[in-house]
Each structure stands twice: as structure tokens, then as C-alpha cells.
Amino acid sequence: MPSNTKRLEGKVAIITGASRGIGKEIAVYFAKEGASLVLTARSLESLEAVSKEIAALGSQEPFLFALDVKNAEKIQEMTDKTLDKYKRIDILVNNAGITKDGLFVRMSEADWDEVLETNLKGTFLCMRAVSKIMMKQRHGKIINMASVIGLIGNAGQANYAASKAGIIALTKSVAKELGSRNVLVNAIAPGFIDTEMTQALSEETKNSILKTIPVGVFGKPADVAKVALYLASDDSNFVTGQVITVDGGMVMA
Ligand code: NAP
């Protein structure tokens, strides 16, 4: 029987990297489904614009917090403040991520460190802070943003590929540790999604990528947000340790 209940009504969700692209779209989808949101990114300004958009939909205004996911202290502060305000944390989406592409032999240590620390360590730090609360609650959903590049590798993206493969292994390991406490941990591996991150690529690169996508189009942030919504909702209560590719068929197991 169809129900009018929103899929995330009464749930509290933290989303990192919510100022644009995929993270912003996930925020909009979660808000429409009734979630109380905590949105983070490095600058408050860009988050305020997202907050206005969400308020204009008639949804509850999100709680905004500026933090760099490399900063463990700030993450703890954000977690504590979220708990003070909402008394629980049901969903964590580790979406913040960057690229610093370059050929492997010329890759600087700084570019390696920045990508690994933001993408992989940032995910670890947020998961560690929030999972303690979820374990006590005996309930929680963690969604980590990986990439198909973490599954198949990519020339010019050794640092990014390593960070995303690390996120996949981290997801599976923590899913095994926390399953008995009903904390479910999954990853999404998007293929090519049209955002600022991919808009930086040349037309030539984009055309050659397009040829590798069976459905023949690039993905949109909403394609990823819909899968994040499934993983955040009660529809996935028996799903953990999985990597769901959202890539138009680019990578098939
Ligand atoms: P985007 O448009 O560049 O957005 C990245 C988000 O991460 C922004 O909100 C940014 O906010 C935030 N961020 C970056 N560094 C941060 C840091 N140190 N601390 C906190 N927040 C930080 O990228 P996107 O395309 O939406 O990608 C989102 C996620 O999906 C990333 O993890 C990316 O690797 C993954 N992904 C994307 C694609 C794709 O084709 N687009 C494919 C596979 C996977 P501020 O700059 O305001 O801090």
C-alpha cells in the first residue's frame, strides 16, 4: 500500500562536502525526505547558499558547520554539537573529496598526501567520531563515496585511485566490525558524474570516457543521490559492506 511517510522522517544525517556537486544533491534529496541535516564543507558561505535552497523547498533548515575533513578536532566538535542539538546521529555520508592528478613518476609527495589525507584519512576520521555514537544507539548508516577509479585504477590518478580503493577496503572492514551493533557501512562508486570536479577535464578526455559508458551519457549528481537515499533509508536495512557502482555500466564485476 502506498504511504505518505517520508523516507528519512525523524533521521539525523551528516553530509561532508555538501557545498556543491554530489554532496549538495544528496542534501537536497535527504531534505525532501524529511531528514534533519548537518552540512559541512570548508567554507560556510557556499553552505549558506545550499541551506537557502533547502529552506525554499519548505524543508527544515540545515545546521551548517565549516570544517576541513583533515582536522580531527573540528570533526569531534561538529559531532558533539550535532549530538547536543539533535540527540542522535542516524546517517553519515562521507562525500568530501578532491583530485590532484598527474603522472605517477612526476607525482609530488605533497599531491599524494593531500589526496590521501582528504579522501581516505578524512573518511576514517569522520567514521571514527560518528560510529562511537551509532554503536551506542545500536543503529546507524554510513555511506562512503568511493569511485570506479578505486576499482579499476586510472593513468594519471594514482593518488586518487589509491585513496578510493582504500575507502572500499575501509568500508568492508568497518562493516564487519560494526554489523553486530546494527551500524551498516556501504560505499558508492560513481563513474563519470557531471560536476565541477569533472568539468575541469578537456573535451578530448570527456569524449574518450563517453565511449566507455554503455548507456552513452554522463551521470548526474541526482543519479548518485538516489542511491545514497536508498542506502540511508530503511529499504537497505539488510545491506552492509557493499560497493554500489553508479556508472552507466562503465565497470561490470
Ligand atoms: P566537487 O564538486 O569538487 O565537490 C567536492 C566537495 O568536497 C565540495 O563540497 C568541497 O567543499 C568538499 N571538500 C573538498 N575538500 C574538502 C576538505 N578538505 N574538507 C571538507 N570538505 C572538502 O566534487 P563532486 O564531483 O561532487 O564529488 C563528490 C565526491 O564524489 C568526491 O568524493 C569524489 O571523489 C566522488 N566522485 C565524483 C565523481 C565525479 O565524476 N564527479 C566520480 C566518482 C567519485 P569546499 O571546497 O567548500 O570545502
Side-chain angles (χ1 to χ4, degrees), residues 30-73:
F30 282 18
K32 282 183 187 165
E33 291 295 339
S36 300
L37 294 178
V38 179
L39 305 183
T40 83
R42 284 168 297 186
S43 92
L44 214 49
E45 266 182 348
S46 48
L47 288 172
E48 275 159 3
V50 178
S51 177
K52 274 190 196 139
E53 220 176 284
I54 286 172
L57 295 170
S59 299
Q60 193 187 135
E61 218 172 290
F63 174 50
L64 308 180
F65 201 98
L67 64 75
D68 189 317
V69 290
K70 300 194 293 300
N71 187 332
E73 270 176 34

Side-chain angles (χ1 to χ4, degrees), residues 17-23 41-43 46 67-70 95-98 118-119 145-148 160 164 190-198:
S19 59
R20 57 177 186 269
I22 294 170
R42 284 168 297 186
S43 92
S46 48
L67 64 75
D68 189 317
V69 290
K70 300 194 293 300
N95 167 78
I98 56 163
T118 304
N119 298 3
M145 208 51 72
S147 166
V148 290
Y160 184 75
K164 295 299 186 179
F192 187 109
I193 308 298
D194 191 10
T195 67
E196 267 182 43
M197 184 178 270
T198 45

Side-chain angles (χ1 to χ4, degrees), residues 104-122:
F104 175 66
V105 289
R106 282 196 228 129
M107 188 169 283
S108 69
E109 227 176 299
D111 283 356
W112 174 269
D113 287 346
E114 186 66 17
V115 170
L116 268 289
E117 281 180 22
T118 304
N119 298 3
L120 182 55
K121 192 175 174 190

Side-chain angles (χ1 to χ4, degrees), residues 50-146:
V50 178
S51 177
K52 274 190 196 139
E53 220 176 284
I54 286 172
L57 295 170
S59 299
Q60 193 187 135
E61 218 172 290
F63 174 50
L64 308 180
F65 201 98
L67 64 75
D68 189 317
V69 290
K70 300 194 293 300
N71 187 332
E73 270 176 34
K74 276 276 179 195
I75 291 168
Q76 193 55 53
E77 195 186 323
M78 179 273 294
T79 307
D80 293 345
K81 287 195 169 151
T82 300
L83 210 52
D84 279 353
K85 188 169 167 64
Y86 295 114
K87 313 296 172 215
R88 54 184 298 109
I89 302 173
D90 301 288
I91 302 154
L92 167 67
V93 183
N94 286 302
N95 167 78
I98 56 163
T99 52
K100 284 202 178 287
D101 298 350
L103 290 179
F104 175 66
V105 289
R106 282 196 228 129
M107 188 169 283
S108 69
E109 227 176 299
D111 283 356
W112 174 269
D113 287 346
E114 186 66 17
V115 170
L116 268 289
E117 281 180 22
T118 304
N119 298 3
L120 182 55
K121 192 175 174 190
T123 299
F124 155 70
L125 291 173
C126 293
M127 282 174 88
R128 194 182 57 177
V130 170
S131 62
K132 285 178 192 154
I133 292 149
M134 291 179 166
M135 283 166 79
K136 278 193 206 142
Q137 293 172 172
R138 293 281 196 278
H139 165 78
K141 301 269 186 126
I142 299 175
I143 302 161
N144 294 328
M145 208 51 72

Side-chain angles (χ1 to χ4, degrees), residues 148-198:
V148 290
I149 302 305
L151 294 168
I152 60 171
N154 195 22
Q157 289 197 304
N159 50 0
Y160 184 75
S163 74
K164 295 299 186 179
I167 287 176
I168 290 169
L170 176 66
T171 299
K172 292 178 181 177
S173 301
V174 181
K176 285 183 179 178
E177 278 190 38
L178 303 190
S180 63
R181 309 292 182 97
N182 193 31
V183 177
L184 309 182
V185 191
N186 292 288
I188 300 176
F192 187 109
I193 308 298
D194 191 10
T195 67
E196 267 182 43
M197 184 178 270
T198 45

